[in-house]
């Protein structure tokens, strides 16, 4: 890594090719992109962010299983080995504890590693390095040691991959001081937040979703600019409303937007908040919305106990309890290991109809079971 040199190729080449593959954006129901003129997949958004940051800073490099010769398990690192060479796109053995530890050591030295886990379920093998080596070093060194490292990869349930490959780790890592935890939903999120994570002086856990990689989202010209970067710790109101607040992150934002569209047909105006950042959590945006709508539904894929939704409930009770007109509704994954069978898996993961029912309960619009019988 000491002999890293800047590459001659322009940093925007791969991004331009990705955007050229799609035409003008079609209208997308429930998405707040009125001025967008292009579409970009989440995969290409992540790829372009890596490309541009590697071109801008020779200290940035990526490492992980199959990130080089195979172009990435989900093709997020496609084309980067050819462009930047094996010194900066490093294939590793199947040993998460090993390459995560090497990454932390490189960050101690002043480099900016981006460590890919093929799934965050495998980060359990490396959690000692993530928590004890990366997250705590700045505090334990009295600020003398920075650890600018990004741990990224797919998180949460995919489809039919069983309990050991379906867990959401947002609450796990968000409970640890010293880490920043980001959860992108759209292509704008993926591109802007990954750039911010790579530039940040602290360790960042970057939780993507496997089922979102191939999804296309409308994007504006501003998002395509190489200087585009989103602030860490700031949520986005994806859809404004006045009757109920719905907080969500990652894939669940899409479900929340679908639910909001369904609720609108029944005269319920739902405000959908894309958290983007789990730690730090944008408490101000959440509480301001609840003060306006007087109702709250939290949505997440993870387990309900000690989850992100539980933290949001605590924030609202502490800071704006008197504004609530109904009990907080909390939608989360079932409190069981994720089943492999497709029918049971669907029951274990939140669905759009679950959010709709919860919002109607919060607005006192649900039909009692006895009356419906």
């Amino acid at each position: 890594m000491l002999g890293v040199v800047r590459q001659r190729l322009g940093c925007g080449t791969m991004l331009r090719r990705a955007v050229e593959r799609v035409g003008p954006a079609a209208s997308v129901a429930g998405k707040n992109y009125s001025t967008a003129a292009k579409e970009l997949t989440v995969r290409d958004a992540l790829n372009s962010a890596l490309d541009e940051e590697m071109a801008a800073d020779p200290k940035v490099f990526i490492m992980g299983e199959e990130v080089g010769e195979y172009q990435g398990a989900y093709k997020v690192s496609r084309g980067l080995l050819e462009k930047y060479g094996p010194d900066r796109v490093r294939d590793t053995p199947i040993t998460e504890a090993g390459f995560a530890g090497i990454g932390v050591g490189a960050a101690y030295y002043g480099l900016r590693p981006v460590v890919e886990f093929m799934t965050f379920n495998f980060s359990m093998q490396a959690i000692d390095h993530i928590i004890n080596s990366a997250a705590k070093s700045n505090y334990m060194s009295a600020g003398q040691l920075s650890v600018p490292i990004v741990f990224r990869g797919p998180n949460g349930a995919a489809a039919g991959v069983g309990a050991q490959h379906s867990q959401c780790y947002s609450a796990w890592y968000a409970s640890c001081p010293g880490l920043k935890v980001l959860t992108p939903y759209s292509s704008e999120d993926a591109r802007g937040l990954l750039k911010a994570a790579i530039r940040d002086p602290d360790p960042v856990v970057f939780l993507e979703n496997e089922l979102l990689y191939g999804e296309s989202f409308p994007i504006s010209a501003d998002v395509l600019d190489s200087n585009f970067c989103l602030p860490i710790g700031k949520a986005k109101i994806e859809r404004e409303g006045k009757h109920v607040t719905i907080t969500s992150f990652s894939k669940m934002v899409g479900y929340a937007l679908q639910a909001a569209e369904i609720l609108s047909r029944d005269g319920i105006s739902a405000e959908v908040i894309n958290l983007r950042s789990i730690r730090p959590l944008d408490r101000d945006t959440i509480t301001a919305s609840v003060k306006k709508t007087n109702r709250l539904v939290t949505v997440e894929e993870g387990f309900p106990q000690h989850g992100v939704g539980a933290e949001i409930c605590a924030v609202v009770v502490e800071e704006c309890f008197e504004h609530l007109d109904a009990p907080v509704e909390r939608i989360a994954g079932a409190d069981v290991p994720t089943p492999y069978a497709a029918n049971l898996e669907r029951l274990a993961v939140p669905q759009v109809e679950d959010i709709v029912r919860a919002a109607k309960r919060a607005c006192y619009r649900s039909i009692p079971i006895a009356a419906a019988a």
Side-chain angles (χ1 to χ4, degrees):
M1 290 304 302
L2 299 180
V4 168
V5 294
R6 291 183 183 272
Q7 303 297 309
R8 295 181 179 178
L9 293 176
C11 65
T13 303
M14 298 174 74
L15 176 59
R16 286 194 297 271
R17 288 175 181 170
V19 174
E20 286 168 0
R21 285 199 296 267
V22 295
S27 60
V28 180
K31 292 181 182 176
N32 190 17
Y33 297 99
S34 58
T35 61
K38 300 287 186 180
E39 284 194 351
L40 191 68
T41 65
V42 170
R43 176 184 292 107
D44 286 333
L46 293 167
N47 179 269
S48 68
L50 288 169
D51 181 24
E52 291 177 5
E53 293 306 301
M54 290 178 75
D57 186 350
K59 295 189 297 294
V60 178
F61 72 100
I62 65 176
M63 65 188 305
E65 298 156 3
E66 300 184 345
V67 298
E69 294 290 346
Y70 191 67
Q71 310 281 308
Y74 298 97
K75 300 300 181 278
V76 170
S77 55
R78 183 182 61 245
L80 299 182
L81 174 63
E82 179 182 4
K83 184 170 183 179
Y84 296 102
D87 277 353
R88 298 183 64 192
V89 182
R90 306 192 71 92
D91 279 319
T92 68
I94 304 174
T95 169
E96 285 77 12
F99 63 76
I102 291 172
V104 173
Y108 284 170
Y109 187 78
L111 300 176
R112 291 183 173 271
V114 180
V115 175
E116 176 179 313
F117 295 119
M118 196 176 292
T119 164
F120 256 91
N121 297 273
F122 300 158
S123 75
M124 295 294 289
Q125 304 293 325
I127 200 165
D128 180 54
H129 289 301
I130 298 171
I131 303 298
N132 285 325
S133 300
K136 299 177 181 178
S137 291
N138 184 262
Y139 176 82
M140 294 179 70
S141 67
Q144 297 179 75
L145 190 62
S146 293
V147 191
I149 186 171
V150 178
F151 301 99
R152 57 154 295 270
N155 169 72
V161 292
Q164 292 172 317
H165 297 77
S166 300
Q167 192 157 315
C168 177
Y169 287 89
S170 53
W172 284 58
Y173 288 116
S175 68
C176 181
L179 288 178
K180 294 175 181 175
V181 181
L182 306 181
T183 54
Y185 159 61
S186 65
S187 300
E188 176 184 326
D189 293 354
R191 183 167 157 75
L193 290 175
L194 184 55
K195 282 173 159 286
I198 293 172
R199 298 175 189 181
D200 200 86
D202 297 313
V204 178
V205 171
F206 198 85
L207 302 174
E208 302 153 13
N209 186 279
E210 178 182 338
L211 298 180
L212 288 177
Y213 285 138
E215 288 228 12
S216 294
F217 291 85
I219 52 170
S220 66
D222 290 341
V223 177
L224 297 176
D225 191 285
S226 61
N227 293 319
F228 176 74
C229 190
L230 288 172
I232 292 176
K234 182 64 178 173
K236 178 185 179 184
I237 297 178
E238 296 280 356
R239 177 177 179 138
E240 293 190 357
K242 59 184 180 180
H243 295 144
V244 60
T245 297
I246 304 176
T247 64
S248 54
F249 59 93
S250 190
K251 184 162 66 78
M252 290 294 107
V253 176
Y255 284 21
L257 289 170
Q258 291 179 52
E261 183 64 27
I262 294 170
L263 290 165
S264 69
R265 301 169 195 162
D266 291 331
I268 297 175
S269 173
E271 181 149 293
V272 177
I273 298 177
N274 173 7
L275 294 174
R276 282 182 168 171
S277 174
I278 303 300
R279 187 181 185 104
L281 186 66
D282 188 355
R283 300 163 71 106
D284 290 343
T285 295
I286 295 169
T287 54
S289 179
V290 171
K291 288 177 181 179
K292 178 175 70 171
T293 67
N294 309 115
R295 295 171 176 84
L296 173 65
V297 177
T298 71
V299 185
E300 64 186 306
E301 273 190 296
F303 300 133
Q305 187 159 323
H306 307 131
V308 175
E311 175 65 19
I312 293 173
C313 290
V315 167
V316 169
V317 168
E318 290 167 0
E319 300 187 13
C320 55
F321 177 75
E322 69 276 12
H323 289 271
L324 287 173
D325 287 344
V328 175
E329 294 282 346
R330 192 152 57 102
I331 303 298
D335 199 19
V336 296
T338 306
Y340 170 75
N343 58 333
L344 297 179
E345 181 184 55
R346 190 181 190 282
L347 293 172
V349 178
Q351 303 296 326
V352 173
E353 55 264 32
D354 299 323
I355 305 171
V356 171
R357 283 194 294 266
K360 287 186 175 181
R361 286 194 300 268
C363 294
Y364 301 111
R365 296 282 294 276
S366 60
I367 302 174
I369 295 176

